[in-house]
Amino acid sequence: MVDMFIPTSGVDVRSLSDRVLLEQCVVYGRAALVWRNKFRALLPEVERRKLWMRKGYRDVFEFGKRLAGLSDAQVAESLNLAVRLEDKPVLKRLLESGEVSVNKIVRVMSIATVENESELAEKVQLLSLSAVKTFVRDMK
């Protein structure tokens, strides 16, 4: 797949070839995942500053739901994960940059220590989510 933006504004998407249409779906889908992960990484700071309150949202959960379509469980997971990442800057940086999904980071947190976080960071970047689950299970 081509990992680049192909402009479609002003173009009738019905005229795109199947290949180009698929490429666009892949590009936008990947971008959406990266941006959602970046948004989730910002939620702890939004909560710390009570930004959601100042902007008229009922709580941080409504903030996450309205702005990014997150479920309450996803918001709670993001807030809980932030606390657990405070002493693990390498894993925290991967999450904040959007390079690694929240789901992968959550899986390795059960075995993550300050000493092994660099090794785990390499693993989560290379392995699929199912491989990360297997790796964690084997390490326990």
Side-chain angles (χ1 to χ4, degrees), residues 14-66:
R14 293 175 291 184
S15 69
L16 298 176
S17 69
D18 287 351
R19 182 187 63 77
V20 171
L21 180 61
L22 176 61
E23 287 173 358
Q24 284 300 272
C25 289
V26 169
V27 168
Y28 293 140
R30 284 183 184 155
L33 290 174
V34 169
W35 287 109
R36 181 173 291 218
N37 285 333
K38 288 181 178 194
F39 180 88
R40 288 182 72 177
L42 296 174
L43 284 174
E45 184 63 16
V46 168
E47 173 63 16
R48 188 188 72 74
R49 295 183 190 188
K50 304 292 185 218
L51 181 63
W52 54 268
M53 185 184 304
R54 292 194 319 237
K55 295 302 176 183
Y57 294 93
R58 183 177 17 128
D59 54 29
V60 71
F61 297 96
E62 181 185 6
F63 182 89
K65 186 177 293 182
R66 297 260 179 129

Side-chain angles (χ1 to χ4, degrees), residues 41 44 81-82 85-98 105 109 117:
L81 185 58
L85 283 173
E86 285 178 351
D87 63 341
K88 296 169 187 75
V90 177
L91 291 172
K92 185 176 182 178
R93 184 194 58 75
L94 286 177
L95 179 64
E96 289 174 346
S97 69
I105 299 291
M109 287 310 294
E117 78 162 319

